[in-house]
Amino acid sequence: MTKARVHVLISGRVQGVCFRMYAEEEAQRRGLTGWVRNLPSGQVEALFEGEKTAVEEIVVWCRRGPPAARVDKIDENWEDFHGSFTDFRIV
């Protein structure tokens, strides 16, 4: 099984809509590790690691986000897998 890592920056109405909480649930459901956080700019930043298929699925989820969100843009930076996390959490 191939492992993958992606760093994403999500723009739009993504704060105040429980984006981080939903992202944490979605990542944990897929067995991913990493983190998610709000930025002062109003964006959400996240890093996901795990099975490539699951990482690709979470990126698709991030493009639409939770029900109250409006995702205008997502920047993806695919990186080498590190395996440096033991869980997924809001930071």
Side-chain angles (χ1 to χ4, degrees):
M1 291 186 206
T2 305
K3 300 281 189 175
R5 174 183 175 119
V6 68
H7 183 214
V8 295
L9 193 60
I10 306 145
S11 304
R13 188 178 68 231
V14 293
Q15 290 190 14
V17 294
C18 297
F19 200 105
R20 293 174 299 159
M21 181 193 74
Y22 278 97
E24 181 182 42
E25 289 175 2
E26 293 290 330
Q28 290 173 348
R29 189 168 64 80
R30 290 172 171 83
L32 299 175
T33 61
W35 50 264
V36 63
R37 67 180 171 189
N38 283 342
L39 296 178
S41 63
Q43 297 169 303
V44 169
E45 178 183 28
L47 184 88
F48 301 101
E49 282 194 336
E51 294 299 327
K52 185 176 182 185
T53 303
V55 174
E56 290 170 342
E57 288 173 3
I58 198 75
V59 170
V60 169
W61 179 86
C62 285
R63 288 189 185 121
R64 61 177 191 275
R70 186 197 72 243
V71 176
D72 294 333
K73 181 181 177 191
I74 179 171
D75 294 315
E76 303 169 36
N77 184 25
W78 291 86
E79 304 170 354
D80 291 335
F81 178 79
H82 291 265
S84 48
F85 303 103
T86 58
D87 60 5
F88 190 90
R89 61 181 63 182
I90 298 170
V91 296

Coordinates of all heavy atoms in Angstrom, one line a residue:
M1 N 0.8 -1.2 0.0 CA 0.0 0.0 0.0 C 0.9 1.2 0.0 O 1.8 1.3 0.7 CB -0.9 0.0 1.2 CG -2.0 -1.0 1.2 SD -3.1 -0.8 2.6 CE -3.6 -2.5 2.8
T2 N 0.5 2.2 -0.8 CA 1.3 3.4 -1.0 C 0.8 4.4 0.1 O -0.3 4.6 0.3 CB 1.1 4.0 -2.4 OG1 1.4 3.0 -3.3 CG2 1.9 5.2 -2.6
K3 N 1.8 5.1 0.7 CA 1.6 6.1 1.7 C 1.7 7.5 1.0 O 2.5 7.6 0.1 CB 2.5 6.0 2.9 CG 2.5 4.7 3.6 CD 1.3 4.7 4.5 CE 1.4 3.4 5.4 NZ 0.4 3.4 6.4
A4 N 1.0 8.5 1.5 CA 1.0 9.8 1.0 C 0.9 10.9 2.1 O 0.5 10.6 3.2 CB -0.1 10.0 -0.1
R5 N 1.3 12.1 1.7 CA 1.3 13.2 2.6 C 0.9 14.4 1.8 O 1.5 14.7 0.7 CB 2.6 13.4 3.3 CG 2.7 14.7 4.1 CD 4.2 14.8 4.6 NE 4.5 16.0 5.4 CZ 4.8 16.0 6.6 NH1 5.0 14.9 7.3 NH2 5.1 17.1 7.2
V6 N -0.1 15.2 2.3 CA -0.5 16.5 1.6 C -0.7 17.6 2.6 O -1.2 17.3 3.7 CB -1.7 16.3 0.7 CG1 -3.0 16.0 1.5 CG2 -1.9 17.4 -0.2
H7 N -0.2 18.7 2.2 CA -0.4 20.0 3.0 C -1.4 20.8 2.3 O -1.2 21.1 1.1 CB 1.0 20.6 3.2 CG 0.9 21.8 4.0 ND1 1.7 22.9 3.8 CD2 0.2 22.2 5.1 CE1 1.5 23.8 4.7 NE2 0.6 23.4 5.5
V8 N -2.5 21.2 2.9 CA -3.5 22.0 2.2 C -3.8 23.3 2.9 O -3.7 23.4 4.1 CB -4.8 21.2 2.0 CG1 -4.6 20.0 1.1 CG2 -5.4 20.8 3.3
L9 N -4.1 24.3 2.1 CA -4.6 25.6 2.6 C -5.9 25.9 1.9 O -6.0 25.9 0.7 CB -3.5 26.6 2.1 CG -3.6 28.0 2.8 CD1 -3.5 27.9 4.3 CD2 -2.5 28.9 2.2
I10 N -6.9 26.0 2.8 CA -8.3 26.1 2.3 C -8.8 27.5 2.5 O -8.8 28.0 3.6 CB -9.2 25.1 3.0 CG1 -8.6 23.7 2.8 CG2 -10.6 25.1 2.5 CD1 -8.8 22.8 4.0
S11 N -9.4 28.1 1.5 CA -9.9 29.5 1.6 C -11.4 29.5 1.3 O -11.9 28.7 0.6 CB -9.2 30.4 0.5 OG -7.8 30.3 0.7
G12 N -12.0 30.5 1.8 CA -13.5 30.7 1.7 C -14.1 31.0 3.0 O -13.5 31.5 3.9
R13 N -15.4 30.6 3.2 CA -16.0 30.6 4.5 C -15.8 29.3 5.2 O -16.5 28.4 5.1 CB -17.5 30.9 4.4 CG -18.2 31.2 5.7 CD -19.7 31.5 5.7 NE -20.4 30.3 5.3 CZ -21.3 30.2 4.3 NH1 -21.6 31.3 3.6 NH2 -21.9 29.1 4.0
V14 N -14.6 29.3 5.8 CA -14.1 28.0 6.4 C -13.8 28.1 7.9 O -13.5 27.1 8.5 CB -12.9 27.5 5.6 CG1 -13.2 27.1 4.2 CG2 -11.7 28.5 5.6
Q15 N -14.0 29.3 8.5 CA -13.9 29.4 9.9 C -15.3 29.8 10.4 O -16.1 30.5 9.8 CB -12.9 30.5 10.3 CG -11.5 30.1 10.0 CD -10.4 31.0 10.5 OE1 -10.7 31.9 11.4 NE2 -9.2 30.8 10.1
G16 N -15.6 29.3 11.7 CA -16.9 29.5 12.3 C -18.0 28.6 11.7 O -19.2 28.8 11.9
V17 N -17.5 27.6 11.0 CA -18.5 26.6 10.4 C -18.1 25.2 10.8 O -18.5 24.2 10.2 CB -18.6 26.7 8.9 CG1 -19.1 28.1 8.5 CG2 -17.2 26.5 8.3
C18 N -17.3 25.0 11.9 CA -16.9 23.7 12.4 C -16.0 22.9 11.4 O -16.0 21.7 11.4 CB -18.1 22.9 12.9 SG -18.9 23.6 14.2
F19 N -15.3 23.6 10.5 CA -14.5 22.9 9.5 C -13.5 22.0 10.2 O -13.3 20.9 9.8 CB -13.8 24.0 8.6 CG -13.3 23.4 7.3 CD1 -14.0 23.7 6.2 CD2 -12.2 22.6 7.3 CE1 -13.6 23.2 4.9 CE2 -11.8 22.1 6.1 CZ -12.4 22.4 4.9
R20 N -12.8 22.5 11.2 CA -11.7 21.8 11.9 C -12.3 20.5 12.5 O -11.7 19.4 12.4 CB -11.0 22.6 12.9 CG -10.2 23.7 12.3 CD -9.6 24.6 13.4 NE -10.6 25.2 14.2 CZ -10.5 25.7 15.4 NH1 -9.3 25.6 16.0 NH2 -11.5 26.2 16.0
M21 N -13.4 20.6 13.2 CA -14.0 19.5 13.8 C -14.4 18.4 12.8 O -14.2 17.2 13.0 CB -15.3 19.9 14.6 CG -15.9 18.8 15.4 SD -17.6 19.2 16.0 CE -18.5 19.2 14.5
Y22 N -15.1 18.8 11.7 CA -15.5 17.9 10.7 C -14.2 17.3 10.0 O -14.2 16.1 9.7 CB -16.3 18.6 9.6 CG -17.8 18.7 10.0 CD1 -18.3 19.9 10.5 CD2 -18.7 17.7 9.7 CE1 -19.6 20.0 10.8 CE2 -20.0 17.8 10.0 CZ -20.5 19.0 10.6 OH -21.8 19.1 10.9
A23 N -13.2 18.1 9.8 CA -12.0 17.6 9.2 C -11.3 16.5 10.1 O -10.8 15.5 9.6 CB -11.0 18.7 8.9
E24 N -11.3 16.8 11.4 CA -10.8 15.8 12.3 C -11.6 14.5 12.3 O -11.0 13.4 12.2 CB -10.8 16.4 13.7 CG -10.3 15.4 14.8 CD -10.4 16.0 16.2 OE1 -11.4 16.6 16.5 OE2 -9.4 15.9 16.9
E25 N -12.9 14.6 12.3 CA -13.7 13.4 12.2 C -13.5 12.6 10.9 O -13.4 11.4 10.9 CB -15.2 13.7 12.3 CG -15.6 14.2 13.7 CD -17.0 14.7 13.7 OE1 -17.8 14.6 12.7 OE2 -17.5 15.1 14.8
E26 N -13.4 13.3 9.8 CA -13.2 12.7 8.4 C -11.8 12.1 8.4 O -11.7 11.0 7.8 CB -13.4 13.8 7.3 CG -14.8 14.3 7.2 CD -15.8 13.3 6.6 OE1 -15.3 12.4 5.8 OE2 -17.0 13.3 6.9
A27 N -10.8 12.7 8.9 CA -9.5 12.2 8.9 C -9.4 10.9 9.7 O -8.8 9.9 9.3 CB -8.5 13.2 9.3
Q28 N -10.0 11.0 10.9 CA -9.9 9.8 11.8 C -10.7 8.6 11.2 O -10.3 7.5 11.3 CB -10.5 10.2 13.2 CG -9.5 11.1 13.9 CD -10.1 11.6 15.3 OE1 -11.3 11.5 15.5 NE2 -9.3 12.3 16.1
R29 N -11.8 8.9 10.6 CA -12.6 7.9 10.0 C -11.8 7.2 8.9 O -12.0 6.0 8.6 CB -13.9 8.5 9.4 CG -14.9 7.5 8.9 CD -16.3 8.1 8.6 NE -16.2 9.1 7.5 CZ -16.3 8.8 6.3 NH1 -16.3 7.5 5.9 NH2 -16.3 9.7 5.3
R30 N -10.9 7.9 8.2 CA -10.1 7.3 7.1 C -8.8 6.8 7.6 O -8.0 6.3 6.8 CB -9.9 8.4 6.1 CG -11.1 8.7 5.3 CD -10.9 9.9 4.4 NE -12.0 10.1 3.5 CZ -13.1 10.8 3.8 NH1 -13.2 11.4 5.0 NH2 -14.1 11.0 2.9
G31 N -8.5 6.9 8.9 CA -7.3 6.3 9.5 C -6.1 7.2 9.2 O -5.0 6.7 9.2
L32 N -6.3 8.5 9.0 CA -5.2 9.4 8.7 C -4.6 10.1 9.9 O -5.3 10.2 10.9 CB -5.7 10.5 7.7 CG -6.3 10.1 6.4 CD1 -6.9 11.2 5.6 CD2 -5.2 9.4 5.6
T33 N -3.4 10.5 9.8 CA -2.8 11.3 10.9 C -2.4 12.7 10.4 O -2.4 12.9 9.2 CB -1.5 10.5 11.4 OG1 -0.6 10.4 10.3 CG2 -1.8 9.2 11.9
G34 N -2.1 13.6 11.3 CA -1.7 14.9 11.0 C -2.4 15.9 11.9 O -2.7 15.6 13.0
W35 N -2.7 17.1 11.3 CA -3.4 18.2 12.1 C -4.1 19.1 11.2 O -4.0 19.1 10.0 CB -2.3 18.9 12.9 CG -1.1 19.4 12.0 CD1 0.1 18.7 11.8 CD2 -1.0 20.5 11.2 NE1 0.9 19.4 11.0 CE2 0.2 20.5 10.6 CE3 -1.9 21.6 10.9 CZ2 0.6 21.5 9.7 CZ3 -1.5 22.6 10.0 CH2 -0.2 22.6 9.4
V36 N -5.0 19.9 11.9 CA -5.7 21.0 11.2 C -5.8 22.2 12.1 O -5.8 22.0 13.3 CB -7.1 20.5 10.8 CG1 -8.0 20.1 12.0 CG2 -7.9 21.5 9.9
R37 N -5.7 23.4 11.5 CA -5.8 24.6 12.4 C -6.4 25.8 11.6 O -6.3 25.8 10.3 CB -4.4 25.0 12.9 CG -3.4 25.4 11.8 CD -2.1 25.7 12.4 NE -1.1 26.0 11.4 CZ 0.2 26.1 11.6 NH1 0.6 26.0 12.8 NH2 1.0 26.3 10.6
N38 N -6.9 26.8 12.3 CA -7.3 28.0 11.7 C -6.1 28.9 11.6 O -5.2 28.9 12.5 CB -8.4 28.7 12.6 CG -9.7 28.1 12.5 OD1 -10.0 27.4 11.5 ND2 -10.6 28.4 13.4
L39 N -6.1 29.8 10.6 CA -5.1 30.8 10.4 C -5.7 32.2 10.6 O -6.8 32.4 10.4 CB -4.4 30.7 9.0 CG -3.7 29.4 8.7 CD1 -3.2 29.4 7.3 CD2 -2.5 29.2 9.7
P40 N -4.8 33.1 11.1 CA -5.3 34.5 11.3 C -5.9 35.1 10.0 O -6.8 36.0 10.0 CB -4.1 35.3 11.7 CG -3.2 34.3 12.3 CD -3.5 33.0 11.5
S41 N -5.5 34.6 8.8 CA -6.0 35.1 7.5 C -7.4 34.7 7.2 O -8.0 35.2 6.3 CB -5.1 34.5 6.4 OG -5.2 33.1 6.4
G42 N -8.0 33.8 8.1 CA -9.3 33.3 7.8 C -9.3 32.0 7.1 O -10.4 31.4 6.8
Q43 N -8.2 31.5 6.7 CA -8.0 30.2 6.0 C -7.9 29.1 7.1 O -7.7 29.3 8.2 CB -6.8 30.2 5.1 CG -6.8 31.2 4.0 CD -5.5 31.4 3.4 OE1 -4.5 31.7 4.0 NE2 -5.5 31.2 2.0
V44 N -8.1 27.8 6.6 CA -7.8 26.7 7.4 C -6.6 26.0 6.7 O -6.6 25.8 5.5 CB -9.0 25.7 7.4 CG1 -8.7 24.4 8.0 CG2 -10.1 26.4 8.2
E45 N -5.7 25.5 7.5 CA -4.5 24.8 7.1 C -4.5 23.4 7.7 O -4.9 23.2 8.8 CB -3.3 25.5 7.6 CG -1.9 24.9 7.2 CD -0.7 25.6 7.7 OE1 -0.9 26.3 8.8 OE2 0.3 25.5 7.1
A46 N -4.1 22.4 6.9 CA -4.1 21.0 7.4 C -3.0 20.2 6.7 O -2.6 20.5 5.6 CB -5.5 20.3 7.1
L47 N -2.6 19.2 7.4 CA -1.6 18.3 6.9 C -2.1 16.9 7.2 O -2.5 16.6 8.3 CB -0.2 18.4 7.7 CG 0.8 17.5 7.1 CD1 1.5 18.3 6.0 CD2 1.8 17.2 8.2
F48 N -2.2 16.1 6.1 CA -2.8 14.7 6.2 C -1.7 13.7 5.8 O -1.1 13.9 4.7 CB -4.0 14.6 5.3 CG -5.1 15.5 5.6 CD1 -5.3 16.7 4.8 CD2 -6.0 15.3 6.7 CE1 -6.4 17.5 5.1 CE2 -7.1 16.2 6.9 CZ -7.2 17.3 6.1
E49 N -1.6 12.6 6.5 CA -0.8 11.5 6.1 C -1.5 10.2 6.3 O -2.3 10.1 7.2 CB 0.5 11.4 7.1 CG 1.5 12.5 6.8 CD 2.8 12.1 7.5 OE1 2.8 11.4 8.5 OE2 3.9 12.6 7.0
G50 N -1.2 9.3 5.4 CA -1.8 7.9 5.5 C -1.8 7.2 4.1 O -1.0 7.6 3.2
E51 N -2.7 6.3 4.0 CA -2.8 5.5 2.8 C -3.2 6.5 1.7 O -4.1 7.4 1.8 CB -3.9 4.5 2.9 CG -3.5 3.3 3.8 CD -2.3 2.6 3.4 OE1 -2.0 2.5 2.2 OE2 -1.5 2.2 4.3
K52 N -2.6 6.4 0.5 CA -2.7 7.4 -0.6 C -4.2 7.6 -1.0 O -4.7 8.7 -1.1 CB -1.9 7.0 -1.8 CG -2.0 8.0 -2.9 CD -1.1 7.6 -4.1 CE -1.2 8.7 -5.1 NZ -0.5 8.3 -6.3
T53 N -4.9 6.5 -1.1 CA -6.4 6.6 -1.4 C -7.1 7.4 -0.4 O -7.9 8.2 -0.8 CB -7.0 5.1 -1.5 OG1 -6.2 4.4 -2.5 CG2 -8.4 5.2 -2.0
A54 N -6.9 7.2 0.9 CA -7.6 7.9 1.9 C -7.2 9.4 1.9 O -8.0 10.3 2.1 CB -7.3 7.3 3.3
V55 N -5.9 9.7 1.6 CA -5.4 11.1 1.5 C -6.1 11.8 0.3 O -6.6 12.9 0.5 CB -3.9 11.2 1.4 CG1 -3.5 12.6 1.2 CG2 -3.3 10.6 2.7
E56 N -6.2 11.1 -0.8 CA -6.9 11.6 -1.9 C -8.4 11.9 -1.6 O -8.9 12.9 -2.0 CB -6.8 10.7 -3.1 CG -5.4 10.6 -3.7 CD -5.2 9.5 -4.7 OE1 -6.0 8.6 -4.8 OE2 -4.2 9.6 -5.4
E57 N -9.0 11.0 -0.9 CA -10.4 11.2 -0.5 C -10.6 12.4 0.4 O -11.6 13.1 0.3 CB -10.9 9.9 0.3 CG -11.1 8.7 -0.6 CD -11.5 7.5 0.3 OE1 -11.6 7.6 1.5 OE2 -11.6 6.4 -0.3
I58 N -9.7 12.6 1.4 CA -9.8 13.8 2.3 C -9.6 15.1 1.5 O -10.3 16.1 1.8 CB -8.9 13.7 3.5 CG1 -9.4 14.6 4.6 CG2 -7.5 14.0 3.2 CD1 -10.6 14.1 5.4
V59 N -8.8 15.1 0.5 CA -8.6 16.3 -0.3 C -9.9 16.6 -1.1 O -10.4 17.7 -1.1 CB -7.4 16.1 -1.3 CG1 -7.4 17.3 -2.3 CG2 -6.1 16.1 -0.5
V60 N -10.6 15.6 -1.6 CA -11.9 15.8 -2.2 C -12.9 16.3 -1.2 O -13.6 17.3 -1.5 CB -12.4 14.4 -2.9 CG1 -13.8 14.6 -3.3 CG2 -11.5 14.0 -4.0
W61 N -12.9 15.8 0.0 CA -13.8 16.3 1.0 C -13.5 17.7 1.3 O -14.4 18.6 1.5 CB -13.7 15.4 2.3 CG -14.6 16.0 3.4 CD1 -15.9 15.7 3.5 CD2 -14.2 16.9 4.4 NE1 -16.4 16.4 4.6 CE2 -15.4 17.2 5.1 CE3 -13.1 17.6 4.7 CZ2 -15.4 18.1 6.2 CZ3 -13.1 18.6 5.7 CH2 -14.3 18.8 6.4
C62 N -12.2 18.1 1.4 CA -11.8 19.5 1.7 C -12.3 20.5 0.7 O -12.5 21.6 0.9 CB -10.3 19.6 1.9 SG -9.6 18.9 3.4
R63 N -12.4 20.0 -0.6 CA -12.9 20.9 -1.6 C -14.3 21.4 -1.4 O -14.7 22.4 -2.0 CB -12.8 20.2 -3.0 CG -11.3 20.1 -3.4 CD -11.2 19.6 -4.9 NE -9.8 19.3 -5.2 CZ -9.3 18.2 -5.6 NH1 -10.1 17.1 -5.7 NH2 -8.1 18.1 -5.9
R64 N -15.1 20.6 -0.7 CA -16.5 21.0 -0.4 C -16.7 21.4 1.1 O -17.5 22.2 1.4 CB -17.5 20.0 -0.9 CG -17.4 18.7 -0.3 CD -18.5 17.8 -0.8 NE -18.5 16.6 0.1 CZ -17.7 15.5 -0.1 NH1 -16.9 15.5 -1.1 NH2 -17.8 14.5 0.7
G65 N -16.0 20.7 2.0 CA -16.0 21.0 3.4 C -17.4 20.6 4.0 O -18.2 19.9 3.4
P66 N -17.6 21.0 5.3 CA -18.8 20.7 6.0 C -20.0 21.5 5.4 O -19.8 22.4 4.6 CB -18.5 21.1 7.4 CG -17.5 22.1 7.4 CD -16.6 21.8 6.1
P67 N -21.2 21.1 5.8 CA -22.4 21.7 5.3 C -22.4 23.3 5.3 O -22.9 23.8 4.3 CB -23.6 21.2 6.1 CG -23.0 19.9 6.6 CD -21.6 20.1 6.8
A68 N -22.0 23.9 6.3 CA -22.1 25.4 6.4 C -20.9 26.1 5.7 O -20.9 27.3 5.6 CB -22.2 25.8 7.8
A69 N -19.9 25.4 5.3 CA -18.7 26.0 4.7 C -19.0 26.4 3.2 O -19.9 25.8 2.5 CB -17.6 25.1 4.7
R70 N -18.2 27.3 2.7 CA -18.1 27.6 1.3 C -16.6 27.7 0.9 O -15.9 28.6 1.3 CB -18.8 28.9 1.0 CG -18.8 29.2 -0.5 CD -19.1 30.7 -0.9 NE -17.9 31.5 -0.6 CZ -17.9 32.5 0.4 NH1 -18.9 32.8 1.1 NH2 -16.7 33.1 0.5
V71 N -16.2 26.6 0.3 CA -14.8 26.6 -0.1 C -14.6 27.2 -1.5 O -15.2 26.8 -2.5 CB -14.3 25.1 -0.2 CG1 -12.8 25.0 -0.6 CG2 -14.4 24.4 1.2
D72 N -13.8 28.3 -1.5 CA -13.5 29.0 -2.7 C -12.3 28.5 -3.4 O -12.2 28.5 -4.6 CB -13.3 30.5 -2.4 CG -14.6 31.1 -1.9 OD1 -15.7 30.6 -2.3 OD2 -14.5 32.2 -1.2
K73 N -11.3 28.1 -2.6 CA -10.0 27.7 -3.2 C -9.3 26.7 -2.2 O -9.4 26.8 -1.0 CB -9.1 28.9 -3.4 CG -7.8 28.6 -4.0 CD -7.0 29.9 -4.2 CE -5.6 29.6 -4.7 NZ -4.8 30.8 -4.6
I74 N -8.6 25.7 -2.8 CA -7.8 24.9 -2.0 C -6.4 24.7 -2.7 O -6.4 24.5 -3.9 CB -8.4 23.5 -1.8 CG1 -7.5 22.6 -0.9 CG2 -8.8 22.8 -3.0 CD1 -8.1 21.3 -0.5
D75 N -5.4 25.0 -2.0 CA -4.0 24.8 -2.5 C -3.5 23.5 -1.9 O -3.5 23.3 -0.7 CB -3.1 26.0 -2.0 CG -3.5 27.3 -2.7 OD1 -3.8 27.3 -3.9 OD2 -3.5 28.3 -2.0
E76 N -3.0 22.7 -2.7 CA -2.5 21.4 -2.3 C -1.0 21.3 -2.6 O -0.5 21.7 -3.6 CB -3.1 20.2 -3.1 CG -4.5 20.1 -3.1 CD -5.1 19.2 -4.2 OE1 -4.4 18.1 -4.4 OE2 -6.1 19.5 -4.7
N77 N -0.2 20.8 -1.6 CA 1.2 20.6 -1.8 C 1.5 19.2 -1.3 O 1.5 18.9 -0.2 CB 2.0 21.6 -0.9 CG 3.5 21.5 -1.1 OD1 3.9 21.0 -2.2 ND2 4.3 21.9 -0.1
W78 N 1.7 18.3 -2.3 CA 2.0 16.9 -2.1 C 3.4 16.8 -1.7 O 4.3 17.3 -2.4 CB 1.6 16.1 -3.3 CG 0.1 16.0 -3.5 CD1 -0.7 16.9 -4.1 CD2 -0.8 15.0 -2.9 NE1 -2.0 16.6 -4.0 CE2 -2.1 15.4 -3.3 CE3 -0.6 13.9 -2.1 CZ2 -3.2 14.7 -2.9 CZ3 -1.7 13.2 -1.8 CH2 -3.0 13.6 -2.2
E79 N 3.7 16.1 -0.6 CA 5.1 16.0 -0.1 C 5.4 14.5 0.1 O 4.5 13.6 0.0 CB 5.1 16.7 1.3 CG 4.7 18.2 1.2 CD 4.6 18.8 2.6 OE1 4.7 18.1 3.6 OE2 4.4 20.1 2.6
D80 N 6.7 14.2 0.4 CA 7.1 12.9 0.7 C 6.5 12.5 2.1 O 6.4 13.3 3.0 CB 8.6 12.8 0.8 CG 9.3 13.0 -0.5 OD1 8.6 12.7 -1.5 OD2 10.5 13.4 -0.5
F81 N 6.1 11.2 2.2 CA 5.5 10.7 3.4 C 6.6 10.6 4.5 O 7.7 10.2 4.2 CB 4.9 9.3 3.1 CG 4.3 8.7 4.4 CD1 3.1 9.0 4.8 CD2 5.0 7.7 5.1 CE1 2.5 8.4 5.9 CE2 4.5 7.1 6.2 CZ 3.3 7.5 6.6
H82 N 6.2 11.1 5.7 CA 7.2 11.1 6.8 C 6.8 10.1 7.9 O 7.6 9.5 8.6 CB 7.3 12.5 7.5 CG 7.9 13.5 6.6 ND1 9.3 13.7 6.7 CD2 7.5 14.3 5.6 CE1 9.6 14.7 5.8 NE2 8.5 15.0 5.1
G83 N 5.5 9.9 8.1 CA 5.0 9.0 9.1 C 5.3 9.5 10.5 O 5.6 8.8 11.5
S84 N 5.3 10.8 10.7 CA 5.8 11.5 11.9 C 4.6 11.7 12.9 O 4.9 12.3 14.0 CB 6.5 12.8 11.6 OG 5.8 13.6 10.7
F85 N 3.4 11.3 12.6 CA 2.3 11.6 13.5 C 1.7 10.2 14.0 O 1.7 9.3 13.2 CB 1.2 12.4 12.8 CG 1.7 13.7 12.3 CD1 2.0 13.9 11.0 CD2 2.0 14.8 13.2 CE1 2.5 15.1 10.5 CE2 2.5 16.0 12.7 CZ 2.7 16.2 11.4
T86 N 1.1 10.3 15.2 CA 0.5 9.0 15.7 C -1.1 9.1 15.6 O -1.7 8.1 15.8 CB 0.9 8.8 17.1 OG1 0.6 9.9 17.9 CG2 2.4 8.5 17.2
D87 N -1.6 10.4 15.4 CA -3.0 10.6 15.4 C -3.3 11.8 14.6 O -2.4 12.4 14.0 CB -3.6 10.7 16.8 CG -3.0 11.8 17.6 OD1 -2.2 12.6 17.1 OD2 -3.4 12.0 18.8
F88 N -4.6 12.2 14.5 CA -5.0 13.4 13.8 C -5.7 14.3 14.9 O -6.5 13.8 15.6 CB -6.0 13.2 12.7 CG -6.2 14.4 11.8 CD1 -5.4 14.6 10.8 CD2 -7.1 15.3 12.2 CE1 -5.5 15.8 10.0 CE2 -7.3 16.5 11.4 CZ -6.5 16.7 10.3
R89 N -5.3 15.6 14.9 CA -5.8 16.5 15.9 C -5.9 17.9 15.4 O -5.3 18.3 14.5 CB -5.1 16.4 17.2 CG -3.6 16.8 17.1 CD -2.9 16.7 18.4 NE -2.9 15.3 18.9 CZ -2.3 14.9 20.0 NH1 -1.8 15.7 20.8 NH2 -2.3 13.6 20.3
I90 N -6.8 18.6 16.1 CA -6.9 20.1 15.9 C -5.8 20.7 16.8 O -5.6 20.4 17.9 CB -8.3 20.6 16.4 CG1 -9.4 19.9 15.5 CG2 -8.4 22.1 16.3 CD1 -10.8 20.1 16.1
V91 N -5.0 21.6 16.1 CA -3.9 22.3 16.9 C -4.2 23.8 16.9 O -5.0 24.3 16.2 CB -2.6 22.0 16.2 CG1 -2.3 20.5 16.4 CG2 -2.5 22.4 14.8

